[in-house]
Amino acid sequence: MATLQRVAEGARHARYTYRLRVSSTAHTSLEAEWARCRWVWNECVAMARKVHAANRGGTEKTTCGPAQLDRMLTEARNAMGWLREGSSVPQQQTIRDFARSRAKAIKDIKARLSVRQRAGMPRIKPKREALPTLNYTRRGFRLKDGRLHLAGGIVLTVVWSRELPNLPSSVRVYRDSIGHWYASFVVAAETQPLQGTGAVLGVDWGVKETATTTSDAHDLPHPQHGRQAALRLAGYQRMMARRRPAKGQAASKGYRRAQAQAAKVHKKVARQRQDTARKWAKRVVRDHDAIAVEDFRPKFLAKTTMARKAADAAVGATKAALLEMGRKHARDVRLVHPAHTTMDCASCGARTKHALPLSERTYTCTACGAVSPRDKNSAYVMLVRAGLNPAGADRVRAAGPLVPSQREPEIPALQDGEESSQKSVPSSGPSSSFSSSGPLLRTLLTAVGTG
C-alpha cells in the first residue's frame, strides 16, 4: 500500500508509504533499536523536567536544547555499550523530534492558547504502550536491489506497490496498532497536470451527506463504514471489558487478543474511509479545472449529538484528500470561509435573518423567493464567493438599497472584488475565467427556481 500526503505546509515534498516484510531477525533488530530510541526520548523528557524545575526555583536560567541533548547523547554512548551498539542516526533524530515537540508546546503556552488547543509537553513513553517509530536521514539508509538497508545492518523487504518518483531524502520505519510494519519515504513532490475541462465545482460539507456539490453526479453520500462495523467492534469491546486487568496488573492473553481484534476493525474502517475519500477526490479533480471548497473545520462536532455520525463521515480526511489531489494535479482549489454559507442566497445574495435549523432541508430566500435544497444552495454560494461564477458574482451585494436582512456586518470574504482574502492552493492551473459560466448560471437559476 502506498499513500501520498503532504509533509509540511508550503513544503514541496510528499510521503510515499509502503508495507514492509520483516523477518524474525530484522524484527528483533528493530525492536532493539526502538528500545534505545525510547530510552533516549525518556531521558530527554526527564532532563527537560529537571531543567524546568531548576529554572522555576533559581535565578540563573539554564536551557535544554538539541545541542545540550546531543552532548548528553555522546557522553551516554561513550559510557554505555548497550546504547553504543545501536546506530546514532535514529537516536539523534529522536532528539530532533523531542526538541520540535517541546518547542511547539512552549510556543502555544506563550501564545496563551487554551489548554484544549495547545500541544502538550512531551511525556514518558511506556514500554508496552508506545509504538515503535524510527527515523533515518539520508546517511542512515540506502535502497539496494529493491530492499531497504538501515544503519546497523538491518535489511527489510519493501512491497513496492509503485515506484518512487525521486530519490528519498529520509525514511520513517514504524509499526501500526495491528503489528504491520511500514516505511514512509520523503521525496520531492511532482506535479502531474491533467487536461483542462473548463468546468468548475462548489463543495459544501455536511453530516447527512459528506459532500454536496453543484453537480449531482459528484455528490458524496455518507459511506457509513463505521456503522457497518459497529456490531463487530462492540463484541470485541465487551470481550475487553470482561477481561480488563486490575490496575497495576498485566493484561491477560485473552484481553490482548480481543484488543488486537478491535484494533483490526478500527484499522479497516480507517482504510475504507481513506479509500472512499481518495477515489472521490480523484474523480472531482479529473472532471473540474477549479473547485471552491468550504473551509470547514469539523472539530466542534465532537461535542454535539452528531459526534458519532460526523466522525464516521470523515469530513476532515476527505477535505485533506481533495486538497492534496488538487495540488498533485495542478488544479485551482480555493478555500472559502464557512461563515453564513447556509444563510446566504446563491441567486440574489440576500441573507436570512436567522440561521436555519439543521432539520430544515429547504432554503427559501426572503428577498427573491427562490426555493432550493439547503446544501445545494450552499454549494453554489461557494462558487460565488470564490469568484468562480462571474455571472452570479455581480449579483451578490450589488449596488442599491439593501433589504433589511442584509444590514448586518459583512465578513471580508463577502466583499465585492476582494479575492485576496480567499485562501487558495498554489497552482499553475486555470484562473476564474471559464467558458462554462453561462450554462452554470442557467443551471443555478433552474435549481433555485428563479429561471
Side-chain angles (χ1 to χ4, degrees):
M1 180 186 69
T3 59
L4 176 65
Q5 59 188 28
R6 298 192 71 196
V7 176
E9 186 69 26
R12 296 298 179 182
H13 293 83
R15 282 194 177 274
Y16 283 77
T17 305
Y18 301 86
R19 180 78 179 272
L20 293 176
R21 303 300 184 191
V22 182
S23 63
S24 58
T25 303
H27 185 272
T28 303
S29 301
L30 289 174
E31 290 288 352
E33 285 287 1
W34 167 240
R36 300 183 185 96
C37 292
R38 190 179 61 84
W39 182 88
V40 172
W41 175 279
N42 292 342
E43 286 296 312
C44 292
V45 173
M47 181 55 62
R49 292 176 178 176
K50 182 178 179 181
V51 170
H52 174 70
N55 290 339
R56 186 172 52 184
T59 57
E60 186 176 351
K61 304 296 182 180
T62 58
T63 60
C64 182
Q68 291 90 338
L69 295 177
D70 277 338
R71 287 194 291 268
M72 290 177 51
L73 176 61
T74 302
E75 296 174 359
R77 287 178 61 86
N78 291 333
M80 301 174 59
W82 167 77
L83 192 63
R84 194 167 53 249
E85 291 177 359
S87 173
S88 63
V89 176
Q91 298 173 16
Q92 291 173 344
Q93 292 306 306
T94 299
I95 293 179
R96 300 294 179 273
D97 294 340
F98 170 82
R100 191 180 301 111
S101 177
R102 186 170 182 268
K104 178 62 170 62
I106 295 176
K107 179 181 177 181
D108 291 348
I109 293 175
K110 291 182 177 179
R112 297 185 178 275
L113 296 180
S114 64
V115 178
R116 180 177 57 86
Q117 293 177 320
R118 71 178 62 165
M121 281 290 182
R123 295 181 295 180
I124 296 292
K125 291 187 176 182
K127 178 179 179 181
R128 292 178 176 83
E129 297 180 9
L131 296 174
T133 301
L134 304 171
N135 293 317
Y136 293 85
T137 57
R138 193 69 188 90
R139 65 188 183 92
F141 77 98
R142 63 190 176 109
L143 296 173
K144 182 179 179 182
D145 299 331
R147 307 183 77 182
L148 175 61
H149 294 253
L150 301 178
I154 305 175
V155 182
L156 305 172
T157 302
V158 184
V159 182
W160 296 107
S161 54
R162 58 176 169 176
E163 295 183 358
L164 286 172
N166 296 305
L167 290 177
S169 59
S170 64
V171 64
R172 175 183 300 161
V173 178
Y174 65 94
R175 190 184 68 195
D176 64 2
S177 58
I178 60 177
H180 295 168
W181 288 88
Y182 295 90
S184 181
F185 298 93
V186 175
V187 300
E190 286 188 348
T191 303
Q192 303 174 10
L194 296 175
Q195 186 176 2
T197 62
V200 296
L201 187 74
V203 180
D204 176 72
W205 305 110
V207 176
K208 184 176 182 180
E209 287 190 352
T210 302
T212 302
T213 67
T214 52
S215 171
D216 293 339
H218 294 85
D219 289 348
L220 179 62
H222 195 296
Q224 297 185 354
H225 295 307
R227 185 175 181 179
Q228 295 170 2
L231 187 61
R232 291 181 56 203
L233 183 60
Y236 294 130
Q237 289 175 341
R238 285 194 296 268
M239 292 171 61
M240 293 172 58
R242 291 194 298 267
R243 296 165 173 80
R244 190 177 304 278
K247 187 175 181 179
Q249 293 184 358
S252 64
K253 186 181 297 184
Y255 178 86
R256 292 196 300 268
R257 184 163 53 245
Q259 187 180 38
Q261 294 295 334
K264 286 184 179 180
V265 175
H266 280 297
K267 179 65 70 174
K268 180 179 180 180
V269 171
R271 287 170 175 170
Q272 287 176 326
R273 291 169 180 164
Q274 183 185 41
D275 181 70
T276 300
R278 288 183 58 83
K279 287 180 178 178
W280 174 80
K282 181 71 172 184
R283 184 160 54 91
V284 168
V285 168
R286 184 181 62 243
D287 297 342
H288 302 88
D289 288 350
I291 308 165
V293 183
E294 180 187 9
D295 192 14
F296 183 64
R297 304 173 190 273
K299 187 176 181 180
F300 74 96
L301 292 173
K303 294 186 177 181
T304 66
T305 57
M306 300 179 294
R308 178 176 297 181
K309 190 170 184 179
D312 197 11
V315 175
T318 307
K319 173 187 167 186
L322 180 59
L323 296 179
E324 177 56 42
M325 199 65 69
R327 187 177 301 106
K328 176 183 177 181
H329 296 293
R331 294 304 200 193
D332 186 8
V333 182
R334 306 187 183 185
L335 295 177
V336 179
H337 197 282
H340 310 302
T341 53
T342 59
M343 301 168 63
D344 289 355
C345 177
S347 178
C348 67
R351 181 174 298 170
T352 56
K353 190 170 288 188
H354 302 288
L356 295 176
L358 293 176
S359 58
E360 183 65 37
R361 308 307 304 175
T362 303
Y363 179 89
T364 303
C365 181
T366 56
C368 66
V371 179
S372 65
R374 170 181 169 165
D375 294 339
K376 286 291 182 181
N377 175 77
S378 299
Y380 280 108
V381 170
M382 304 301 163
L383 284 179
V384 177
R385 287 193 183 183
L388 298 179
N389 184 12
D394 58 358
R395 304 179 63 192
V396 177
R397 305 255 193 302
L402 297 177
V403 298
S405 62
Q406 292 175 288
R407 292 174 183 166
E408 47 189 282
E410 297 176 7
I411 60 176
L414 296 179
Q415 302 290 336
D416 285 332
E418 286 190 15
E419 295 185 12
S420 60
S421 62
Q422 302 287 348
K423 293 186 286 184
S424 176
V425 177
S427 169
S428 58
S431 63
S432 61
S433 57
F434 292 90
S435 59
S436 62
S437 60
L440 180 61
L441 177 61
R442 289 194 294 270
T443 305
L444 170 62
L445 294 177
T446 302
V448 298
T450 61

